[in-house]
Amino acid sequence: MNTEFILRAAEAVYQALLTHESEIESLDRAIGDGDHFINMKRGCATIVGMREELAALAPDAALQKIGMKLLSTIGGASGPLIGSFFMSMAKAVKEEGAETLPEIAIAFAAGVEAIKARGKADVGEKTMLDVLIPVSQTFTRLADEGYGRAELLEVLKREAQQGMQSTRDMIATKGRAAFLGERAIGHIDPGAKSSQVIICTVCDLALANP
Ligand code: ADP
Ligand code: MG
């Protein structure tokens, strides 16, 4: 994973989020306060606008800078969570590298652990973690088992879809949706949806660039 891939991923994610604007916005309007799409769009646009200063950096330094910037630009509950994801990922990339699939899986897992710790949440609470945790666990397992890159990426996309869908019938125990109790049932979590869109977009980009 080099810095150029990170920058291209940021641009692809920005476009993908715009494509899913109405869906993400209406999900947060249903069980949150309606700002999740705007928060994510603002964060993404900021990173895309930093292309020049980021391009000169090594991947770990670029991820660290992205994390710090997202912490202050996304806002809401998700800003600090996503910011800490990138900063923890940066630390792992600095220590372990990000050349091989197992190394990238370690970095992704470090990012997800940071969200768990900061959000004090786990799987089954109707949040973005219902996508991120199963994707991370599968990523680590398949990378360790030596799966081929294309097959692994396809499995991760399916895992993200399943995780996102799994939030539909959950009661939320974290975030704004927790105030709704059973009324949140039947709605997909907005953070799970945006996480699925992001993961599928980055996997598609990697699949298109073997
Ligand atoms: P806010 O809830 O402050 O309006 P956003 O709308 O940007 O912030 O983000 C909401 C999303 O954040 C939720 O859909 C959920 O996925 C995620 N989220 C909220 N609280 C937590 C938490 N404690 N742990 C993990 N994810 C969380
Ligand atoms: Mg919101």
Side-chain angles (χ1 to χ4, degrees):
M1 183 174 61
N2 56 28
T3 303
E4 181 56 25
F5 181 82
I6 295 168
L7 294 174
R8 287 174 61 194
E11 276 157 30
V13 164
Y14 185 45
Q15 292 306 321
L17 287 175
L18 292 177
T19 305
H20 291 86
E21 169 172 359
S22 60
E23 197 180 350
I24 295 168
E25 195 166 299
S26 58
L27 289 174
D28 199 36
R29 225 180 285 122
I31 62 167
D33 57 355
D35 63 351
H36 186 59
F37 170 76
I38 292 288
N39 291 344
M40 298 298 284
K41 180 184 164 187
R42 187 171 52 240
C44 247
T46 304
I47 303 307
V48 169
M50 290 165 68
R51 180 173 241 293
E52 253 175 62
E53 60 174 298
L54 291 172
L57 302 176
D60 63 294
L63 290 168
Q64 173 69 18
K65 198 156 217 172
I66 288 170
M68 280 164 51
K69 199 70 188 178
L70 289 178
L71 197 70
S72 60
T73 52
I74 295 183
S78 51
L81 299 174
I82 296 171
S84 59
F85 171 90
F86 281 97
M87 290 192 280
S88 291
M89 196 169 173
K91 189 164 173 277
V93 169
K94 187 172 185 172
E95 287 165 5
E96 312 272 345
E99 296 296 320
T100 66
L101 286 172
E103 286 168 356
I104 299 171
I106 287 172
F108 188 79
V112 174
E113 281 302 320
I115 295 184
K116 283 176 72 173
R118 192 174 266 244
K120 297 184 176 59
D122 212 323
V123 86
E125 301 204 69
K126 202 180 179 91
T127 71
M128 58 176 80
L129 286 168
D130 290 304
V131 171
L132 298 173
I133 291 173
V135 166
S136 175
Q137 287 173 344
T138 302
F139 192 1
T140 301
R141 183 169 57 81
L142 299 191
D144 289 346
E145 287 175 8
Y147 265 59
R149 190 168 173 279
E151 195 181 357
L152 182 147
L153 290 164
E154 292 292 355
V155 175
L156 295 189
K157 285 173 63 182
R158 282 203 296 278
E159 197 77 61
Q161 286 280 355
Q162 282 169 17
M164 178 268 288
Q165 290 291 352
S166 77
T167 65
R168 189 192 301 273
D169 295 324
M170 289 177 186
I171 291 177
T173 41
K174 290 287 177 333
R176 289 177 196 277
F179 297 114
L180 296 176
E182 297 205 340
R183 278 177 293 151
I185 292 178
H187 301 280
I188 287 167
D189 173 64
K193 179 65 201 174
S194 61
S195 298
Q196 175 261 315
V197 168
I198 293 167
I199 287 165
C200 288
T201 301
V202 176
C203 287
D204 280 337
L205 184 68
L207 283 163
N209 295 275

mmCIF file of all heavy atoms in Angstrom, residues 28 33 35-36 39 76-78 81 119 121 127-129 174-176 189-192, ligand 1:
data_model
loop_
_atom_site.group_PDB
_atom_site.id
_atom_site.type_symbol
_atom_site.label_atom_id
_atom_site.label_comp_id
_atom_site.label_asym_id
_atom_site.label_seq_id
_atom_site.Cartn_x
_atom_site.Cartn_y
_atom_site.Cartn_z
ATOM 1 N N ASP A 28 -29.628 8.184 8.524
ATOM 2 C CA ASP A 28 -29.325 8.957 9.739
ATOM 3 C C ASP A 28 -30.508 9.844 10.129
ATOM 4 O O ASP A 28 -30.651 10.203 11.297
ATOM 5 C CB ASP A 28 -28.038 9.785 9.562
ATOM 6 C CG ASP A 28 -27.456 10.225 10.906
ATOM 7 O OD1 ASP A 28 -27.549 9.434 11.877
ATOM 8 O OD2 ASP A 28 -26.942 11.339 11.005
ATOM 9 N N ASP A 33 -29.574 11.990 13.609
ATOM 10 C CA ASP A 33 -29.968 13.393 13.453
ATOM 11 C C ASP A 33 -29.776 13.897 12.025
ATOM 12 O O ASP A 33 -29.863 15.108 11.775
ATOM 13 C CB ASP A 33 -29.191 14.270 14.446
ATOM 14 C CG ASP A 33 -27.685 14.115 14.285
ATOM 15 O OD1 ASP A 33 -27.277 13.255 13.460
ATOM 16 O OD2 ASP A 33 -26.938 14.828 14.957
ATOM 17 N N ASP A 35 -27.147 14.011 9.978
ATOM 18 C CA ASP A 35 -25.934 14.714 9.519
ATOM 19 C C ASP A 35 -24.801 13.784 9.073
ATOM 20 O O ASP A 35 -23.730 14.247 8.695
ATOM 21 C CB ASP A 35 -25.403 15.638 10.625
ATOM 22 C CG ASP A 35 -24.969 14.854 11.868
ATOM 23 O OD1 ASP A 35 -25.248 13.635 11.926
ATOM 24 O OD2 ASP A 35 -24.379 15.454 12.775
ATOM 25 N N HIS A 36 -25.022 12.482 9.118
ATOM 26 C CA HIS A 36 -23.889 11.574 8.876
ATOM 27 C C HIS A 36 -23.292 11.735 7.477
ATOM 28 O O HIS A 36 -22.069 11.759 7.318
ATOM 29 C CB HIS A 36 -24.276 10.117 9.133
ATOM 30 C CG HIS A 36 -23.114 9.174 9.043
ATOM 31 N ND1 HIS A 36 -22.004 9.286 9.846
ATOM 32 C CD2 HIS A 36 -22.854 8.125 8.209
ATOM 33 C CE1 HIS A 36 -21.128 8.342 9.525
ATOM 34 N NE2 HIS A 36 -21.613 7.626 8.533
ATOM 35 N N ASN A 39 -21.323 14.974 7.354
ATOM 36 C CA ASN A 39 -20.075 14.820 8.126
ATOM 37 C C ASN A 39 -19.017 14.092 7.303
ATOM 38 O O ASN A 39 -17.860 14.530 7.225
ATOM 39 C CB ASN A 39 -20.341 14.031 9.418
ATOM 40 C CG ASN A 39 -21.170 14.800 10.427
ATOM 41 O OD1 ASN A 39 -21.320 16.012 10.323
ATOM 42 N ND2 ASN A 39 -21.723 14.100 11.403
ATOM 43 N N GLY A 76 -19.352 15.192 14.873
ATOM 44 C CA GLY A 76 -20.289 14.173 15.341
ATOM 45 C C GLY A 76 -19.592 13.099 16.148
ATOM 46 O O GLY A 76 -18.454 13.263 16.593
ATOM 47 N N ALA A 77 -20.303 11.990 16.342
ATOM 48 C CA ALA A 77 -19.723 10.856 17.068
ATOM 49 C C ALA A 77 -18.672 10.173 16.205
ATOM 50 O O ALA A 77 -17.699 9.622 16.704
ATOM 51 C CB ALA A 77 -20.813 9.864 17.447
ATOM 52 N N SER A 78 -18.880 10.223 14.895
ATOM 53 C CA SER A 78 -18.028 9.426 14.016
ATOM 54 C C SER A 78 -16.655 10.057 13.763
ATOM 55 O O SER A 78 -15.705 9.332 13.468
ATOM 56 C CB SER A 78 -18.743 9.132 12.695
ATOM 57 O OG SER A 78 -19.260 10.308 12.127
ATOM 58 N N LEU A 81 -13.951 8.783 16.085
ATOM 59 C CA LEU A 81 -13.788 7.338 15.859
ATOM 60 C C LEU A 81 -12.978 7.091 14.590
ATOM 61 O O LEU A 81 -12.020 6.313 14.587
ATOM 62 C CB LEU A 81 -15.165 6.660 15.750
ATOM 63 C CG LEU A 81 -16.060 6.769 17.000
ATOM 64 C CD1 LEU A 81 -17.442 6.180 16.722
ATOM 65 C CD2 LEU A 81 -15.421 6.052 18.181
ATOM 66 N N GLY A 119 -14.962 4.107 21.153
ATOM 67 C CA GLY A 119 -16.429 4.089 21.172
ATOM 68 C C GLY A 119 -16.995 3.214 22.275
ATOM 69 O O GLY A 119 -18.205 3.184 22.477
ATOM 70 N N ALA A 121 -17.485 0.156 22.281
ATOM 71 C CA ALA A 121 -18.537 -0.619 21.631
ATOM 72 C C ALA A 121 -17.952 -1.881 21.017
ATOM 73 O O ALA A 121 -16.737 -2.018 20.860
ATOM 74 C CB ALA A 121 -19.209 0.231 20.559
ATOM 75 N N THR A 127 -23.724 -0.383 15.122
ATOM 76 C CA THR A 127 -22.847 0.730 14.728
ATOM 77 C C THR A 127 -21.977 0.282 13.547
ATOM 78 O O THR A 127 -22.063 -0.854 13.090
ATOM 79 C CB THR A 127 -21.878 1.161 15.864
ATOM 80 O OG1 THR A 127 -20.886 0.138 16.032
ATOM 81 C CG2 THR A 127 -22.598 1.407 17.174
ATOM 82 N N MET A 128 -21.093 1.188 13.149
ATOM 83 C CA MET A 128 -20.118 0.886 12.090
ATOM 84 C C MET A 128 -19.282 -0.353 12.414
ATOM 85 O O MET A 128 -18.772 -1.018 11.530
ATOM 86 C CB MET A 128 -19.196 2.091 11.872
ATOM 87 C CG MET A 128 -18.435 2.540 13.092
ATOM 88 S SD MET A 128 -17.279 3.881 12.764
ATOM 89 C CE MET A 128 -18.355 5.307 12.742
ATOM 90 N N LEU A 129 -19.164 -0.664 13.721
ATOM 91 C CA LEU A 129 -18.344 -1.817 14.114
ATOM 92 C C LEU A 129 -18.947 -3.142 13.658
ATOM 93 O O LEU A 129 -18.226 -4.136 13.552
ATOM 94 C CB LEU A 129 -18.134 -1.815 15.632
ATOM 95 C CG LEU A 129 -17.144 -0.759 16.118
ATOM 96 C CD1 LEU A 129 -17.207 -0.613 17.644
ATOM 97 C CD2 LEU A 129 -15.716 -1.088 15.688
ATOM 98 N N LYS A 174 -25.492 1.939 21.441
ATOM 99 C CA LYS A 174 -24.519 3.046 21.432
ATOM 100 C C LYS A 174 -25.007 4.118 20.449
ATOM 101 O O LYS A 174 -25.754 3.822 19.520
ATOM 102 C CB LYS A 174 -23.141 2.549 20.985
ATOM 103 C CG LYS A 174 -22.435 1.651 21.989
ATOM 104 C CD LYS A 174 -21.932 2.425 23.173
ATOM 105 C CE LYS A 174 -21.267 1.650 24.273
ATOM 106 N NZ LYS A 174 -21.579 0.294 24.520
ATOM 107 N N GLY A 175 -24.532 5.344 20.646
ATOM 108 C CA GLY A 175 -24.876 6.414 19.712
ATOM 109 C C GLY A 175 -26.314 6.899 19.875
ATOM 110 O O GLY A 175 -27.046 6.448 20.755
ATOM 111 N N ARG A 176 -26.689 7.832 19.022
ATOM 112 C CA ARG A 176 -28.020 8.455 19.112
ATOM 113 C C ARG A 176 -29.165 7.461 18.986
ATOM 114 O O ARG A 176 -30.234 7.630 19.588
ATOM 115 C CB ARG A 176 -28.181 9.494 18.008
ATOM 116 C CG ARG A 176 -27.346 10.720 18.224
ATOM 117 C CD ARG A 176 -27.505 11.670 17.038
ATOM 118 N NE ARG A 176 -26.445 12.658 17.067
ATOM 119 C CZ ARG A 176 -26.489 13.764 17.810
ATOM 120 N NH1 ARG A 176 -27.549 14.024 18.540
ATOM 121 N NH2 ARG A 176 -25.480 14.604 17.799
ATOM 122 N N ASP A 189 -28.015 0.860 10.203
ATOM 123 C CA ASP A 189 -27.248 1.933 10.849
ATOM 124 C C ASP A 189 -26.492 2.752 9.792
ATOM 125 O O ASP A 189 -25.822 2.182 8.929
ATOM 126 C CB ASP A 189 -26.251 1.318 11.844
ATOM 127 C CG ASP A 189 -25.328 2.382 12.410
ATOM 128 O OD1 ASP A 189 -25.833 3.279 13.103
ATOM 129 O OD2 ASP A 189 -24.120 2.345 12.119
ATOM 130 N N PRO A 190 -26.593 4.080 9.847
ATOM 131 C CA PRO A 190 -25.919 4.908 8.824
ATOM 132 C C PRO A 190 -24.401 4.719 8.785
ATOM 133 O O PRO A 190 -23.801 4.683 7.704
ATOM 134 C CB PRO A 190 -26.283 6.346 9.202
ATOM 135 C CG PRO A 190 -26.853 6.276 10.583
ATOM 136 C CD PRO A 190 -27.419 4.903 10.750
ATOM 137 N N GLY A 191 -23.775 4.594 9.957
ATOM 138 C CA GLY A 191 -22.323 4.396 10.000
ATOM 139 C C GLY A 191 -21.923 3.030 9.427
ATOM 140 O O GLY A 191 -20.853 2.889 8.821
ATOM 141 N N ALA A 192 -22.784 2.039 9.603
ATOM 142 C CA ALA A 192 -22.532 0.723 9.009
ATOM 143 C C ALA A 192 -22.654 0.817 7.489
ATOM 144 O O ALA A 192 -21.856 0.227 6.752
ATOM 145 C CB ALA A 192 -23.514 -0.311 9.558
HETATM 146 P P1 ADP B 1 -23.698 11.755 15.410
HETATM 147 O O1 ADP B 1 -24.275 10.463 15.889
HETATM 148 O O2 ADP B 1 -22.970 12.496 16.478
HETATM 149 O O3 ADP B 1 -24.696 12.580 14.673
HETATM 150 P P2 ADP B 1 -22.694 10.757 12.899
HETATM 151 O O4 ADP B 1 -24.093 10.888 12.412
HETATM 152 O O5 ADP B 1 -21.639 11.324 12.009
HETATM 153 O O6 ADP B 1 -22.539 11.348 14.348
HETATM 154 O O7 ADP B 1 -22.314 9.214 13.075
HETATM 155 C C1 ADP B 1 -23.252 8.297 13.542
HETATM 156 C C2 ADP B 1 -22.644 6.905 13.444
HETATM 157 O O8 ADP B 1 -21.560 6.764 14.342
HETATM 158 C C3 ADP B 1 -23.624 5.806 13.821
HETATM 159 O O9 ADP B 1 -24.400 5.427 12.718
HETATM 160 C C4 ADP B 1 -22.715 4.681 14.311
HETATM 161 O O10 ADP B 1 -22.355 3.808 13.252
HETATM 162 C C5 ADP B 1 -21.467 5.412 14.757
HETATM 163 N N1 ADP B 1 -21.341 5.399 16.215
HETATM 164 C C6 ADP B 1 -21.973 6.179 17.107
HETATM 165 N N2 ADP B 1 -21.575 5.895 18.357
HETATM 166 C C7 ADP B 1 -20.643 4.903 18.254
HETATM 167 C C8 ADP B 1 -19.832 4.184 19.199
HETATM 168 N N3 ADP B 1 -19.890 4.413 20.515
HETATM 169 N N4 ADP B 1 -19.000 3.239 18.716
HETATM 170 C C9 ADP B 1 -18.912 2.995 17.391
HETATM 171 N N5 ADP B 1 -19.633 3.651 16.459
HETATM 172 C C10 ADP B 1 -20.494 4.592 16.887
#
